[in-house]
């Protein structure tokens, strides 16, 4: 059991999380210095905030990072709570990019991509270390190449980690460990929602939970509809990190975190009766199970944010903005 299940799961999961953090850190080092100022000037309306947050979250690949930064700005009095609403909506949309990329099944390119990106990173570090006078004019380009190559290396590790985690599916099926869970979820997909929410809350990574779910669906270890339920549940579980970040902060900072909770829980309630229809729509786009889950995740986040956007224009938020 250790060789066939525990070690591959822990090893693959560790690679996935390390890859996520490496990609997040590299992109944050690249764009982070401009982020705080950009957030402050790009949130005059909820729609502008949504569009800006979607782009930045897709760039940094961490909705949690954007949410935590926003909570910090609101706690510091640099951003009114009303201006944070669009940011929260957009962060859920932007985080779908990683899921869609994983759904492309690029696993066979993971190792070559890792080697090439590490080679580019090593070259960039060497050039930055020696700093030849002739290269002073392109120093910023060298730094950009250094950070982006690390981000690509992180994404390659994510793909390798998913491939390793997928290898446990046959062993789990042979031991019948899926049967009980599948029997329960056949009666109610709430089991899938609960599993996604609880496990994501424990590991603080919805991307890891979604990646594992997509891998299991690819191996036909779980049905796609159950996978979609788990993924929607993971959106609820990821709110825990924002709630922790808001502890000890201002009331407005806590409101930002609870807005994140309301958006994801409300979206889950809205979509739960239509999981079968969501599966049908995503299956029209592709026959691949992993890609269907990725598309369902994107549809869920986009629709939830678009439905909630008009609420951000209620007069009460304009009054709060004026009082700030």
């Amino acid at each position: 059991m250790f060789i066939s299940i525990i070690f591959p799961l822990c090893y693959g999961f560790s690679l996935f999380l390390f890859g996520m953090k490496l990609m997040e850190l590299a992109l944050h080092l690249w764009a982070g210095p401009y982020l705080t100022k950009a957030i402050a000037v790009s949130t005059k309306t909820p729609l502008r905030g949504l569009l800006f947050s979607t782009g930045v979250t897709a760039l940094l690949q961490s909705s949690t990072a954007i949410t935590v930064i926003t909570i910090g700005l609101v706690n510091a009095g640099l951003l009114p709570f009303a201006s944070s609403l669009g940011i929260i909506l957009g962060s859920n949309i932007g985080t779908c990019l990683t899921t869609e990329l994983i759904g492309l099944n690029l696993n066979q390119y993971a190792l070559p991509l890792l080697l090439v990106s590490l080679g580019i990173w090593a070259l960039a570090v060497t050039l930055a270390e020696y700093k030849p006078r002739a290269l002073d004019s392109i120093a910023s380009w060298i730094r950009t190449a250094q950070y982006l190559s690390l981000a690509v290396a992180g994404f390659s590790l994510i793909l390798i980690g998913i491939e390793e985690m997928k290898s446990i599916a046959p062993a789990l099926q042979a031991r019948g460990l899926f049967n009980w869970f599948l029997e329960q979820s056949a009666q109610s997909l709430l089991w899938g929602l609960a599993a996604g929410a609880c496990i994501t809350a424990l590991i603080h990574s919805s991307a890891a939970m979604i990646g594992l779910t997509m891998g299991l669906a690819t191996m036909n270890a779980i049905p796609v509809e159950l996978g979609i339920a788990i993924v929607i549940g993971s959106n609820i579980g990821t709110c825990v990190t924002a709630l922790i970040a808001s502890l000890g902060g201002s009331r407005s900072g806590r409101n930002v975190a609870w807005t994140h909770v309301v958006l994801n829980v409300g979206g889950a309630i809205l979509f739960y009766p239509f999981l079968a229809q969501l599966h049908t729509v995503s299956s029209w786009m592709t026959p691949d199970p992993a890609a269907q889950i990725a598309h369902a995740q994107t549809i869920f986040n986009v629709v939830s944010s678009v439905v909630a956007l008009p609420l951000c224009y209620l007069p009460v938020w304009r009054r709060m903005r004026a009082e700030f």
Side-chain angles (χ1 to χ4, degrees):
M1 183 173 177
F2 178 81
I3 298 298
S4 60
I5 298 179
I6 298 177
F7 177 76
L9 180 62
C10 293
Y11 174 60
F13 188 67
S14 299
L15 283 179
F16 188 103
L17 286 183
F18 179 71
M20 278 295 299
K21 293 304 177 183
L22 179 63
M23 183 170 65
E24 179 183 331
L25 177 61
L27 292 172
H28 188 74
L29 288 173
W30 176 46
Y34 315 100
L35 188 58
T36 300
K37 182 179 179 181
I39 287 177
V41 300
S42 302
T43 56
K44 291 185 178 180
T45 67
L47 178 60
R48 286 180 60 177
L50 181 148
L51 295 175
F52 170 78
S53 179
T54 297
V56 172
T57 305
L59 179 66
L60 297 184
Q61 286 307 293
S62 176
S63 61
T64 300
I66 300 301
T67 304
V68 169
I69 290 172
T70 302
I71 290 172
L73 291 173
V74 172
N75 281 336
L78 300 175
L79 187 73
F81 165 67
S83 296
S84 72
L85 297 175
I87 297 176
I88 299 303
L89 298 182
S91 67
N92 273 17
I93 299 175
T95 196
C96 297
L97 179 60
T98 298
T99 309
E100 291 289 349
L101 289 175
I102 294 172
L104 293 177
N105 287 323
L106 302 174
N107 297 348
Q108 65 267 32
Y109 306 112
L111 186 56
L113 201 60
L114 177 63
L115 296 176
V116 170
S117 60
L118 290 179
I120 295 174
W121 172 78
L123 177 61
V125 169
T126 302
L127 292 174
E129 183 70 24
Y130 286 103
K131 294 181 181 177
R133 187 170 298 178
L135 296 177
D136 285 346
S137 60
I138 59 171
S140 62
W141 291 98
I142 294 174
R143 185 167 58 253
T144 297
Q146 184 178 338
Y147 292 148
L148 292 184
S149 60
L150 272 184
V152 174
F155 182 69
S156 303
L157 290 174
I158 289 174
L159 296 178
I160 295 172
I162 289 176
E163 195 65 25
E164 192 66 30
M165 288 189 288
K166 281 166 57 176
S167 67
I168 70 171
L172 289 175
Q173 286 178 313
R175 286 169 171 79
L177 297 181
F178 278 132
N179 292 341
W180 180 85
F181 180 67
L182 291 176
E183 288 172 2
Q184 300 301 318
S185 61
Q187 300 175 17
S188 173
L189 289 175
L190 282 173
W191 283 91
L193 283 173
C198 293
I199 296 175
T200 301
L202 289 173
I203 65 178
H204 294 279
S205 176
S206 60
M209 187 64 200
I210 294 169
L212 176 58
T213 302
M214 291 167 67
L216 293 175
T218 301
M219 300 290 291
N220 294 318
I222 60 173
V224 173
E225 196 168 321
L226 175 58
I228 293 173
I230 294 173
V231 164
I232 291 178
S234 72
N235 282 270
I236 300 174
T238 196
C239 297
V240 170
T241 306
L243 289 174
I244 292 174
S246 70
L247 295 177
S250 66
R251 180 179 179 181
S252 294
R254 291 193 297 273
N255 286 342
V256 175
W258 281 108
T259 299
H260 196 204
V261 174
V262 170
L263 172 64
N264 288 320
V265 172
I269 294 173
L270 174 67
F271 270 90
Y272 178 73
F274 307 104
L275 289 179
Q277 289 78 4
L278 183 58
H279 176 205
T280 300
V281 172
S282 62
S283 66
W284 291 342
M285 303 177 186
T286 175
D288 181 70
Q292 288 176 18
I293 292 176
H295 296 335
Q297 156 83 346
T298 300
I299 294 170
F300 167 76
N301 281 324
V302 171
V303 173
S304 296
S305 294
V306 170
V307 168
L309 182 61
L311 300 178
C312 299
Y313 285 89
L314 292 175
V316 62
W317 309 125
R318 288 199 295 271
R319 288 197 296 269
M320 290 178 65
R321 195 190 306 271
E323 294 170 359
F324 181 74

